[in-house]
Amino acid sequence: MEKKKFYITTAIAYTSRKPHIGNAYDIVLADAIARYKKMMGFDVYLMTGSDEHGQKIEECAAAKGISPKEYVDNISSEIKAVWDSLDTQYDRFIRTTDQDHEQIVQKIFKKLYDQGDIYKGKYEGKYCVPCESFFTTSQLVDGKCPDCGREVIDAKEEAYFLKLSKYADRLKAYYDENPDFFRPESRKAEMVNNFIKPGLADLCVSRSTFRWGIPVDFDPKHVVYVWLDALSNYITGIGYDPDGSSDQYQKLWPADLHVIGKDIVRFHTIYWPIILMALGEPLPKQVLGHPWVLFGEDKMSKSKGNVIYADDLAARFGSDAVRYYLLSEVPFAQDGSITHESFIAKYNTDLANTLGNLVNRSITMAVKYFDGKVEKGAIATDEDRDLLATAEKCLATYTSRMDSYHLADACEAVMDLARRCNKYIDETAPWALAKDEEKKAYLKTVLYNLLECIRLLSGMLTPLMPKCALQIKEQLRENDAAMSFGAVTAYSVSAPSPLFARLDTEKVLAELLAESQAGQEEAKKENEAVGTVNVAKIGIDDFAKVELTTAKITACEPIPKAKKLLKLTLDDGNNTPRIVCSGIAKWYTPETLIGHTVVVVSNLKPATLCGVESNGMILAADVDENTVRVLFADDFPAGCRLR
């Protein structure tokens, strides 16, 4: 009998920076669902990848002094390394710079243009660079981007647009006819009330003010805008082609599940379905818009210093511990939270004390009392019957929760059974039974009941903590039996091997703090110096006293022992070169700066930074939490006064 297919995707990670643990939740969640579906007999295909085009990427690359392709190659490799550190198994990692993707996106754009769904016009409105999204003034929240809360800029340019309004009624009808399309269901109300009812504005699908994107082949001044480019990966990656799609595409599409963050639900439940409608293709069956992983109660941000990286945690505590924390601590419809303290507490309570302790002492007793060989016995006591009932209940709860993607509840069902098993050990006291020869038969029954429950636990853990599940199965010497109590009638277990050693909370926290401080201490003086340069303490009444002068960079070099500082030699129109130290080494190399004209605060008091006297500061802007851009004034000669 042919297996039923299950095609699942993640949102593709944006290549502006290395993903933190919140970004990694997507792939861990999707991988756990995919593993479960395989366990249930489905033919599963999981696709993930990286989103690599756009203005922000172009700017990040320029700041690094490398090409956009070099930049995204580096970040994409980092993304894959993080995914792999979490023991995720994907069938394809698609990159939007892949040649096959780029070629089909061009065909998609041309098809939609030829049939009148894309037209040329002009855009004028508000634009968020980090989100690469356009907004009307009414869509802003307190004048800022409604998605990320950052400042927006005015944008005006020629662009191509997709006729969203043409498909609005059809999309709403699809929502009504497919009530399971949104997971959680509450996401539907957000989309209808916030976007569809007020009226869908046509979507900008090209840009002409930057070059890093897929060219519109019939109008090379334009590049395909990120959302038409990125969203199309779900079909280009499995062989879609407007001129004739592959057998793989015919088999896999429509997707059974798109796994995404709640912040991009709009793009996946409005823009993406309309693109598919315009192409004449089926719509995905479900979109799971999961909540965020917060640091405490805040969003993770490098500028706040609260970023945790999944691969760092996995290297220290193991991939299973990271997977379990993410899957158990993020509810179906509410944001989850992580701190180092909460991670260690969860590790010790659930993994070391509850699960690890249960497996280790149960197998240890089986080896100690019966040389590892125990057989099924009669269910004789209330404790036996209650354990069996709990096992059946937890297994049923686990299955229903996994089927509905409530993985945190599924994790709780696993721990409920493990806790009940530990209680059963306390109730039956195997060590006491071993002292009474007449009770040896019942002792064997007790240990069989425990081993059979542990076998069920290993099966339930397979999608959640695959390495741990395999370790348990190897110790039980049992791998393929059915997920029902009593399916295995006898065991011959191997020597026990501990799964999770309890962590010394104070010691581990101290080590983590020391690691964090080690990186900060080296740059402490440098940061203070840069802060002196970058923050001139003046009042508003003194602003007129500030002298801003254009100056050409004639030489530039790093400052020894100062990783963030560059020494700039400037020609400001006077006979004497001006030396300025600037904390921009993270974003610029000397060769990318020489020859540019900058704006310098020329009457700032001198300051000695890492042994170099700095006479002024150059103007730069924080584009976002990870990017700084120098304000170049290349159209002006050196020595101009700004007024």
Side-chain angles (χ1 to χ4, degrees), residues 4-11 33 37 42-47 174 178 180-182 231-238 240 248-260 268 272-273 276 281-288 405:
K4 186 177 180 182
K5 72 92 180 176
F6 189 83
Y7 176 36
I8 178 173
T9 73
T10 72
I33 294 170
K37 290 295 183 179
F42 284 79
D43 181 7
V44 177
Y45 193 93
L46 169 59
M47 190 162 73
Y174 184 83
N178 296 271
D180 293 331
F181 180 63
F182 287 92
L231 289 166
S232 296
N233 93 88
Y234 303 126
I235 55 177
T236 64
I238 55 171
Y240 170 77
Q248 183 187 49
Y249 177 77
Q250 301 298 339
K251 172 187 174 182
L252 293 177
W253 193 257
D256 294 274
L257 186 66
H258 287 320
V259 176
I260 61 168
H268 287 77
W272 178 226
L276 289 168
E281 297 298 317
L283 272 58
K285 297 178 182 178
Q286 280 191 329
V287 176
L288 174 58
Y405 312 133

Short mmCIF file of all heavy atoms in Angstrom, two decimals, residues 4-11 33 37 42-47 174 178 180-182 231-238 240 248-260 268 272-273 276 281-288 405:
data_model
loop_
_atom_site.label_atom_id
_atom_site.label_comp_id
_atom_site.label_asym_id
_atom_site.label_seq_id
_atom_site.Cartn_x
_atom_site.Cartn_y
_atom_site.Cartn_z
N LYS A 4 0.79 7.65 2.41
CA LYS A 4 0.20 8.95 2.19
C LYS A 4 1.28 10.02 2.36
O LYS A 4 2.04 10.00 3.32
CB LYS A 4 -0.93 9.18 3.19
CG LYS A 4 -1.70 10.47 2.95
CD LYS A 4 -2.85 10.59 3.95
CE LYS A 4 -3.63 11.89 3.72
NZ LYS A 4 -4.73 12.05 4.70
N LYS A 5 1.35 10.98 1.43
CA LYS A 5 2.41 11.99 1.48
C LYS A 5 2.10 13.07 2.51
O LYS A 5 0.93 13.34 2.83
CB LYS A 5 2.62 12.60 0.09
CG LYS A 5 1.51 13.53 -0.39
CD LYS A 5 1.72 15.00 -0.04
CE LYS A 5 0.58 15.86 -0.56
NZ LYS A 5 0.70 17.28 -0.16
N PHE A 6 3.17 13.69 3.01
CA PHE A 6 3.04 14.83 3.91
C PHE A 6 4.17 15.79 3.60
O PHE A 6 5.33 15.53 3.89
CB PHE A 6 3.11 14.40 5.38
CG PHE A 6 2.77 15.50 6.35
CD1 PHE A 6 1.44 15.79 6.65
CD2 PHE A 6 3.76 16.26 6.97
CE1 PHE A 6 1.11 16.81 7.54
CE2 PHE A 6 3.45 17.26 7.86
CZ PHE A 6 2.12 17.54 8.14
N TYR A 7 3.83 16.91 2.97
CA TYR A 7 4.82 17.93 2.60
C TYR A 7 4.74 19.07 3.59
O TYR A 7 3.71 19.71 3.74
CB TYR A 7 4.55 18.42 1.18
CG TYR A 7 5.46 19.54 0.71
CD1 TYR A 7 6.80 19.59 1.07
CD2 TYR A 7 4.97 20.55 -0.12
CE1 TYR A 7 7.63 20.61 0.64
CE2 TYR A 7 5.79 21.59 -0.58
CZ TYR A 7 7.12 21.61 -0.19
OH TYR A 7 7.93 22.63 -0.62
N ILE A 8 5.86 19.32 4.28
CA ILE A 8 5.91 20.33 5.34
C ILE A 8 7.09 21.25 5.06
O ILE A 8 8.16 20.82 4.62
CB ILE A 8 6.03 19.67 6.73
CG1 ILE A 8 6.16 20.72 7.84
CG2 ILE A 8 7.17 18.68 6.80
CD1 ILE A 8 6.11 20.14 9.25
N THR A 9 6.89 22.55 5.31
CA THR A 9 7.94 23.54 5.09
C THR A 9 8.11 24.44 6.31
O THR A 9 7.20 24.56 7.13
CB THR A 9 7.62 24.45 3.89
OG1 THR A 9 6.57 25.36 4.26
CG2 THR A 9 7.17 23.65 2.67
N THR A 10 9.28 25.05 6.40
CA THR A 10 9.48 26.13 7.37
C THR A 10 9.55 27.44 6.61
O THR A 10 9.77 27.46 5.39
CB THR A 10 10.79 25.97 8.15
OG1 THR A 10 11.90 26.27 7.29
CG2 THR A 10 10.94 24.56 8.70
N ALA A 11 9.40 28.54 7.33
CA ALA A 11 9.77 29.83 6.74
C ALA A 11 11.27 29.79 6.48
O ALA A 11 12.03 29.22 7.25
CB ALA A 11 9.43 30.95 7.71
N ILE A 33 7.43 17.57 13.98
CA ILE A 33 6.20 17.17 13.31
C ILE A 33 6.51 16.18 12.19
O ILE A 33 5.82 15.16 12.02
CB ILE A 33 5.46 18.40 12.76
CG1 ILE A 33 4.96 19.28 13.92
CG2 ILE A 33 4.29 17.99 11.87
CD1 ILE A 33 4.43 20.63 13.48
N LYS A 37 5.19 12.32 11.83
CA LYS A 37 4.44 11.84 10.67
C LYS A 37 5.10 10.61 10.05
O LYS A 37 4.42 9.67 9.62
CB LYS A 37 4.30 12.95 9.63
CG LYS A 37 3.36 14.09 10.05
CD LYS A 37 1.94 13.60 10.19
CE LYS A 37 0.98 14.72 10.55
NZ LYS A 37 -0.43 14.26 10.67
N PHE A 42 3.69 8.08 7.27
CA PHE A 42 3.57 8.99 6.13
C PHE A 42 4.88 9.04 5.34
O PHE A 42 5.97 8.84 5.90
CB PHE A 42 3.23 10.41 6.61
CG PHE A 42 1.79 10.59 7.03
CD1 PHE A 42 1.36 10.15 8.28
CD2 PHE A 42 0.88 11.21 6.19
CE1 PHE A 42 0.04 10.32 8.67
CE2 PHE A 42 -0.44 11.40 6.58
CZ PHE A 42 -0.87 10.94 7.82
N ASP A 43 4.76 9.35 4.07
CA ASP A 43 5.91 9.64 3.21
C ASP A 43 6.14 11.15 3.31
O ASP A 43 5.43 11.94 2.69
CB ASP A 43 5.61 9.22 1.77
CG ASP A 43 6.77 9.47 0.83
OD1 ASP A 43 7.85 9.85 1.31
OD2 ASP A 43 6.60 9.28 -0.39
N VAL A 44 7.14 11.54 4.08
CA VAL A 44 7.31 12.94 4.48
C VAL A 44 8.42 13.61 3.67
O VAL A 44 9.47 13.01 3.41
CB VAL A 44 7.64 13.04 5.98
CG1 VAL A 44 7.90 14.50 6.40
CG2 VAL A 44 6.52 12.45 6.82
N TYR A 45 8.17 14.87 3.30
CA TYR A 45 9.19 15.71 2.67
C TYR A 45 9.22 17.03 3.42
O TYR A 45 8.20 17.74 3.49
CB TYR A 45 8.86 15.95 1.19
CG TYR A 45 10.00 16.54 0.39
CD1 TYR A 45 10.89 15.72 -0.31
CD2 TYR A 45 10.20 17.92 0.33
CE1 TYR A 45 11.94 16.26 -1.05
CE2 TYR A 45 11.25 18.46 -0.40
CZ TYR A 45 12.11 17.63 -1.10
OH TYR A 45 13.15 18.16 -1.84
N LEU A 46 10.38 17.36 4.01
CA LEU A 46 10.55 18.60 4.78
C LEU A 46 11.52 19.51 4.05
O LEU A 46 12.64 19.12 3.74
CB LEU A 46 11.08 18.29 6.19
CG LEU A 46 11.56 19.49 7.03
CD1 LEU A 46 10.46 20.51 7.24
CD2 LEU A 46 12.11 19.01 8.37
N MET A 47 11.08 20.73 3.79
CA MET A 47 11.95 21.71 3.14
C MET A 47 12.12 22.93 4.02
O MET A 47 11.16 23.44 4.60
CB MET A 47 11.41 22.12 1.77
CG MET A 47 12.43 22.95 0.98
SD MET A 47 12.07 23.01 -0.79
CE MET A 47 10.65 24.10 -0.78
N TYR A 174 -12.31 31.12 0.50
CA TYR A 174 -11.45 29.97 0.81
C TYR A 174 -11.30 29.80 2.32
O TYR A 174 -11.35 28.68 2.84
CB TYR A 174 -10.08 30.14 0.16
CG TYR A 174 -9.17 28.93 0.36
CD1 TYR A 174 -9.28 27.83 -0.47
CD2 TYR A 174 -8.24 28.90 1.39
CE1 TYR A 174 -8.47 26.71 -0.28
CE2 TYR A 174 -7.42 27.79 1.59
CZ TYR A 174 -7.54 26.70 0.75
OH TYR A 174 -6.74 25.59 0.93
N ASN A 178 -12.57 26.41 4.26
CA ASN A 178 -11.49 25.58 4.81
C ASN A 178 -11.15 26.06 6.23
O ASN A 178 -10.14 26.73 6.44
CB ASN A 178 -10.25 25.66 3.92
CG ASN A 178 -10.50 25.09 2.54
OD1 ASN A 178 -10.32 23.90 2.29
ND2 ASN A 178 -10.92 25.95 1.61
N ASP A 180 -9.88 24.75 8.71
CA ASP A 180 -8.63 24.30 9.31
C ASP A 180 -7.40 24.96 8.69
O ASP A 180 -6.26 24.61 9.03
CB ASP A 180 -8.49 22.78 9.18
CG ASP A 180 -9.51 22.04 10.01
OD1 ASP A 180 -9.94 22.58 11.05
OD2 ASP A 180 -9.89 20.91 9.62
N PHE A 181 -7.61 25.91 7.77
CA PHE A 181 -6.48 26.54 7.08
C PHE A 181 -5.57 27.26 8.07
O PHE A 181 -4.34 27.21 7.95
CB PHE A 181 -7.00 27.53 6.03
CG PHE A 181 -5.93 28.25 5.27
CD1 PHE A 181 -5.05 27.56 4.46
CD2 PHE A 181 -5.81 29.64 5.35
CE1 PHE A 181 -4.06 28.23 3.74
CE2 PHE A 181 -4.83 30.32 4.64
CZ PHE A 181 -3.95 29.61 3.83
N PHE A 182 -6.14 27.92 9.07
CA PHE A 182 -5.37 28.66 10.07
C PHE A 182 -5.15 27.81 11.32
O PHE A 182 -6.09 27.23 11.85
CB PHE A 182 -6.10 29.94 10.50
CG PHE A 182 -6.11 31.02 9.47
CD1 PHE A 182 -7.14 31.13 8.55
CD2 PHE A 182 -5.10 31.97 9.43
CE1 PHE A 182 -7.16 32.14 7.61
CE2 PHE A 182 -5.11 32.99 8.50
CZ PHE A 182 -6.15 33.08 7.58
N LEU A 231 8.46 33.70 -1.08
CA LEU A 231 7.31 32.81 -0.92
C LEU A 231 7.26 31.72 -1.99
O LEU A 231 6.82 30.60 -1.73
CB LEU A 231 6.01 33.63 -0.95
CG LEU A 231 5.76 34.51 0.27
CD1 LEU A 231 4.66 35.51 -0.01
CD2 LEU A 231 5.41 33.66 1.48
N SER A 232 7.78 32.03 -3.17
CA SER A 232 7.73 31.06 -4.26
C SER A 232 8.60 29.84 -4.00
O SER A 232 8.48 28.83 -4.69
CB SER A 232 8.15 31.72 -5.58
OG SER A 232 7.25 32.73 -5.95
N ASN A 233 9.49 29.91 -3.00
CA ASN A 233 10.38 28.79 -2.73
C ASN A 233 9.62 27.50 -2.44
O ASN A 233 10.12 26.41 -2.71
CB ASN A 233 11.32 29.13 -1.57
CG ASN A 233 10.79 28.69 -0.22
OD1 ASN A 233 11.01 27.56 0.23
ND2 ASN A 233 10.07 29.58 0.45
N TYR A 234 8.41 27.63 -1.88
CA TYR A 234 7.67 26.44 -1.49
C TYR A 234 7.27 25.57 -2.69
O TYR A 234 7.03 24.38 -2.54
CB TYR A 234 6.41 26.83 -0.71
CG TYR A 234 6.70 27.66 0.53
CD1 TYR A 234 6.09 28.89 0.73
CD2 TYR A 234 7.60 27.21 1.49
CE1 TYR A 234 6.35 29.65 1.85
CE2 TYR A 234 7.88 27.96 2.61
CZ TYR A 234 7.25 29.19 2.79
OH TYR A 234 7.53 29.93 3.91
N ILE A 235 7.22 26.20 -3.87
CA ILE A 235 6.90 25.42 -5.07
C ILE A 235 8.11 25.27 -5.99
O ILE A 235 8.28 24.23 -6.63
CB ILE A 235 5.70 26.00 -5.84
CG1 ILE A 235 5.91 27.48 -6.20
CG2 ILE A 235 4.42 25.83 -5.02
CD1 ILE A 235 4.77 28.07 -7.04
N THR A 236 8.98 26.29 -6.07
CA THR A 236 10.16 26.15 -6.92
C THR A 236 11.06 25.04 -6.41
O THR A 236 11.72 24.34 -7.19
CB THR A 236 10.97 27.45 -7.00
OG1 THR A 236 11.49 27.78 -5.70
CG2 THR A 236 10.11 28.60 -7.50
N GLY A 237 11.11 24.86 -5.09
CA GLY A 237 11.99 23.86 -4.48
C GLY A 237 11.59 22.43 -4.72
O GLY A 237 12.37 21.51 -4.46
N ILE A 238 10.37 22.21 -5.21
CA ILE A 238 9.92 20.83 -5.48
C ILE A 238 9.56 20.63 -6.95
O ILE A 238 8.90 19.65 -7.30
CB ILE A 238 8.73 20.44 -4.57
CG1 ILE A 238 7.58 21.43 -4.71
CG2 ILE A 238 9.18 20.32 -3.12
CD1 ILE A 238 6.30 20.99 -4.01
N TYR A 240 8.14 23.09 -9.38
CA TYR A 240 7.11 23.83 -10.12
C TYR A 240 7.74 24.56 -11.30
O TYR A 240 8.84 25.11 -11.21
CB TYR A 240 6.42 24.84 -9.22
CG TYR A 240 5.51 25.78 -9.99
CD1 TYR A 240 4.26 25.35 -10.43
CD2 TYR A 240 5.93 27.08 -10.31
CE1 TYR A 240 3.43 26.20 -11.16
CE2 TYR A 240 5.11 27.93 -11.04
CZ TYR A 240 3.86 27.49 -11.47
OH TYR A 240 3.05 28.32 -12.21
N GLN A 248 7.70 15.30 -9.08
CA GLN A 248 7.79 15.54 -7.63
C GLN A 248 6.78 16.61 -7.21
O GLN A 248 6.12 16.48 -6.17
CB GLN A 248 9.20 15.98 -7.25
CG GLN A 248 9.38 16.17 -5.74
CD GLN A 248 10.73 16.75 -5.36
OE1 GLN A 248 11.17 17.74 -5.94
NE2 GLN A 248 11.38 16.13 -4.40
N TYR A 249 6.67 17.67 -8.00
CA TYR A 249 5.71 18.72 -7.67
C TYR A 249 4.29 18.16 -7.70
O TYR A 249 3.49 18.45 -6.79
CB TYR A 249 5.83 19.88 -8.66
CG TYR A 249 4.81 20.97 -8.41
CD1 TYR A 249 4.97 21.87 -7.37
CD2 TYR A 249 3.66 21.07 -9.20
CE1 TYR A 249 4.03 22.86 -7.12
CE2 TYR A 249 2.71 22.07 -8.95
CZ TYR A 249 2.91 22.95 -7.91
OH TYR A 249 1.97 23.91 -7.66
N GLN A 250 3.98 17.37 -8.70
CA GLN A 250 2.63 16.79 -8.81
C GLN A 250 2.32 15.91 -7.61
O GLN A 250 1.18 15.83 -7.16
CB GLN A 250 2.52 15.98 -10.11
CG GLN A 250 2.77 16.77 -11.39
CD GLN A 250 1.78 17.91 -11.59
OE1 GLN A 250 0.69 17.90 -11.04
NE2 GLN A 250 2.16 18.90 -12.39
N LYS A 251 3.35 15.26 -7.07
CA LYS A 251 3.16 14.38 -5.92
C LYS A 251 2.99 15.16 -4.63
O LYS A 251 2.11 14.84 -3.81
CB LYS A 251 4.36 13.44 -5.79
CG LYS A 251 4.36 12.61 -4.51
CD LYS A 251 5.66 11.84 -4.35
CE LYS A 251 5.73 11.12 -3.00
NZ LYS A 251 7.02 10.40 -2.80
N LEU A 252 3.81 16.20 -4.44
CA LEU A 252 3.88 16.85 -3.13
C LEU A 252 2.92 18.02 -2.94
O LEU A 252 2.47 18.28 -1.83
CB LEU A 252 5.31 17.34 -2.87
CG LEU A 252 6.39 16.26 -2.68
CD1 LEU A 252 7.76 16.91 -2.51
CD2 LEU A 252 6.06 15.36 -1.50
N TRP A 253 2.65 18.77 -4.00
CA TRP A 253 1.82 19.97 -3.83
C TRP A 253 0.34 19.62 -3.92
O TRP A 253 -0.03 18.78 -4.73
CB TRP A 253 2.19 21.03 -4.88
CG TRP A 253 1.59 22.37 -4.53
CD1 TRP A 253 0.49 22.95 -5.07
CD2 TRP A 253 2.03 23.25 -3.49
NE1 TRP A 253 0.22 24.14 -4.46
CE2 TRP A 253 1.15 24.36 -3.48
CE3 TRP A 253 3.08 23.20 -2.57
CZ2 TRP A 253 1.29 25.40 -2.58
CZ3 TRP A 253 3.22 24.25 -1.68
CH2 TRP A 253 2.34 25.33 -1.68
N PRO A 254 -0.51 20.20 -3.09
CA PRO A 254 -0.26 21.32 -2.18
C PRO A 254 0.43 20.90 -0.89
O PRO A 254 0.30 19.76 -0.44
CB PRO A 254 -1.66 21.86 -1.90
CG PRO A 254 -2.55 20.66 -2.01
CD PRO A 254 -1.95 19.84 -3.13
N ALA A 255 1.13 21.84 -0.28
CA ALA A 255 1.77 21.60 1.01
C ALA A 255 0.71 21.23 2.04
O ALA A 255 -0.37 21.81 2.09
CB ALA A 255 2.54 22.83 1.46
N ASP A 256 1.06 20.28 2.88
CA ASP A 256 0.16 19.91 3.97
C ASP A 256 0.27 20.88 5.14
O ASP A 256 -0.71 21.11 5.85
CB ASP A 256 0.49 18.49 4.44
CG ASP A 256 0.18 17.46 3.37
OD1 ASP A 256 -0.98 17.01 3.30
OD2 ASP A 256 1.09 17.14 2.57
N LEU A 257 1.47 21.47 5.31
CA LEU A 257 1.65 22.39 6.43
C LEU A 257 2.82 23.33 6.17
O LEU A 257 3.92 22.90 5.85
CB LEU A 257 1.92 21.61 7.73
CG LEU A 257 1.98 22.44 9.01
CD1 LEU A 257 0.61 23.03 9.34
CD2 LEU A 257 2.47 21.59 10.19
N HIS A 258 2.54 24.64 6.29
CA HIS A 258 3.59 25.66 6.35
C HIS A 258 3.79 26.03 7.82
O HIS A 258 2.84 26.44 8.49
CB HIS A 258 3.18 26.93 5.59
CG HIS A 258 3.18 26.81 4.10
ND1 HIS A 258 4.14 26.11 3.41
CD2 HIS A 258 2.35 27.33 3.16
CE1 HIS A 258 3.90 26.20 2.10
NE2 HIS A 258 2.81 26.93 1.93
N VAL A 259 5.00 25.88 8.32
CA VAL A 259 5.33 26.27 9.70
C VAL A 259 6.04 27.62 9.65
O VAL A 259 7.12 27.74 9.06
CB VAL A 259 6.22 25.22 10.37
CG1 VAL A 259 6.63 25.67 11.78
CG2 VAL A 259 5.50 23.87 10.45
N ILE A 260 5.45 28.63 10.30
CA ILE A 260 5.99 30.00 10.24
C ILE A 260 5.81 30.68 11.59
O ILE A 260 5.06 30.20 12.45
CB ILE A 260 5.27 30.84 9.15
CG1 ILE A 260 3.77 30.93 9.50
CG2 ILE A 260 5.49 30.25 7.77
CD1 ILE A 260 3.02 31.96 8.69
N HIS A 268 1.82 34.77 4.45
CA HIS A 268 1.56 33.37 4.09
C HIS A 268 0.08 33.03 3.97
O HIS A 268 -0.26 31.99 3.41
CB HIS A 268 2.21 32.44 5.12
CG HIS A 268 3.70 32.39 5.00
ND1 HIS A 268 4.52 33.39 5.46
CD2 HIS A 268 4.52 31.45 4.44
CE1 HIS A 268 5.78 33.06 5.21
NE2 HIS A 268 5.81 31.91 4.59
N TRP A 272 0.59 34.93 -0.26
CA TRP A 272 0.95 33.65 -0.86
C TRP A 272 -0.27 32.94 -1.48
O TRP A 272 -0.20 32.49 -2.64
CB TRP A 272 1.65 32.78 0.17
CG TRP A 272 2.06 31.40 -0.28
CD1 TRP A 272 1.86 30.24 0.41
CD2 TRP A 272 2.75 31.02 -1.47
NE1 TRP A 272 2.39 29.18 -0.27
CE2 TRP A 272 2.94 29.62 -1.44
CE3 TRP A 272 3.22 31.73 -2.59
CZ2 TRP A 272 3.58 28.92 -2.47
CZ3 TRP A 272 3.84 31.04 -3.61
CH2 TRP A 272 4.02 29.66 -3.55
N PRO A 273 -1.40 32.82 -0.79
CA PRO A 273 -2.57 32.20 -1.45
C PRO A 273 -3.01 32.94 -2.71
O PRO A 273 -3.41 32.31 -3.69
CB PRO A 273 -3.65 32.27 -0.36
CG PRO A 273 -2.90 32.28 0.92
CD PRO A 273 -1.66 33.09 0.63
N LEU A 276 -0.78 32.05 -5.57
CA LEU A 276 -1.12 30.72 -6.06
C LEU A 276 -2.42 30.74 -6.87
O LEU A 276 -2.54 30.07 -7.90
CB LEU A 276 -1.24 29.75 -4.89
CG LEU A 276 0.09 29.38 -4.20
CD1 LEU A 276 -0.18 28.67 -2.89
CD2 LEU A 276 0.94 28.49 -5.12
N GLU A 281 -2.81 27.47 -9.17
CA GLU A 281 -2.33 26.33 -8.40
C GLU A 281 -3.12 26.16 -7.11
O GLU A 281 -3.65 27.13 -6.57
CB GLU A 281 -0.84 26.51 -8.06
CG GLU A 281 0.07 26.56 -9.28
CD GLU A 281 0.04 25.29 -10.10
OE1 GLU A 281 0.06 24.19 -9.50
OE2 GLU A 281 -0.02 25.37 -11.34
N PRO A 282 -3.20 24.93 -6.58
CA PRO A 282 -3.91 24.69 -5.32
C PRO A 282 -3.25 25.44 -4.16
O PRO A 282 -2.05 25.72 -4.19
CB PRO A 282 -3.78 23.18 -5.12
CG PRO A 282 -3.44 22.62 -6.45
CD PRO A 282 -2.66 23.68 -7.16
N LEU A 283 -4.03 25.75 -3.15
CA LEU A 283 -3.51 26.44 -1.97
C LEU A 283 -3.05 25.43 -0.93
O LEU A 283 -3.53 24.29 -0.89
CB LEU A 283 -4.59 27.34 -1.37
CG LEU A 283 -4.67 28.77 -1.94
CD1 LEU A 283 -4.91 28.75 -3.45
CD2 LEU A 283 -5.76 29.57 -1.23
N PRO A 284 -2.09 25.82 -0.07
CA PRO A 284 -1.65 24.92 1.01
C PRO A 284 -2.82 24.57 1.91
O PRO A 284 -3.76 25.34 2.07
CB PRO A 284 -0.59 25.74 1.74
CG PRO A 284 -0.87 27.16 1.38
CD PRO A 284 -1.42 27.13 -0.01
N LYS A 285 -2.72 23.39 2.54
CA LYS A 285 -3.83 22.92 3.37
C LYS A 285 -3.90 23.63 4.71
O LYS A 285 -4.99 23.92 5.21
CB LYS A 285 -3.71 21.41 3.57
CG LYS A 285 -3.83 20.61 2.28
CD LYS A 285 -3.65 19.12 2.53
CE LYS A 285 -3.71 18.33 1.23
NZ LYS A 285 -3.48 16.89 1.46
N GLN A 286 -2.73 23.89 5.32
CA GLN A 286 -2.71 24.54 6.63
C GLN A 286 -1.49 25.44 6.77
O GLN A 286 -0.42 25.15 6.22
CB GLN A 286 -2.68 23.51 7.77
CG GLN A 286 -4.03 22.90 8.11
CD GLN A 286 -3.96 22.09 9.40
OE1 GLN A 286 -2.95 21.51 9.74
NE2 GLN A 286 -5.07 22.08 10.13
N VAL A 287 -1.66 26.51 7.54
CA VAL A 287 -0.56 27.40 7.90
C VAL A 287 -0.53 27.48 9.42
O VAL A 287 -1.50 27.92 10.04
CB VAL A 287 -0.71 28.79 7.29
CG1 VAL A 287 0.41 29.71 7.76
CG2 VAL A 287 -0.72 28.72 5.76
N LEU A 288 0.56 27.03 10.02
CA LEU A 288 0.73 27.06 11.47
C LEU A 288 1.57 28.28 11.84
O LEU A 288 2.78 28.30 11.63
CB LEU A 288 1.41 25.78 11.95
CG LEU A 288 1.79 25.70 13.44
CD1 LEU A 288 0.57 25.89 14.32
CD2 LEU A 288 2.47 24.37 13.74
N TYR A 405 -0.72 19.41 16.55
CA TYR A 405 0.46 20.28 16.63
C TYR A 405 0.58 21.01 17.96
O TYR A 405 1.28 22.02 18.04
CB TYR A 405 0.51 21.27 15.47
CG TYR A 405 0.26 20.63 14.12
CD1 TYR A 405 -0.62 21.19 13.20
CD2 TYR A 405 0.91 19.45 13.78
CE1 TYR A 405 -0.85 20.58 11.96
CE2 TYR A 405 0.68 18.83 12.55
CZ TYR A 405 -0.20 19.40 11.65
OH TYR A 405 -0.42 18.79 10.44
#
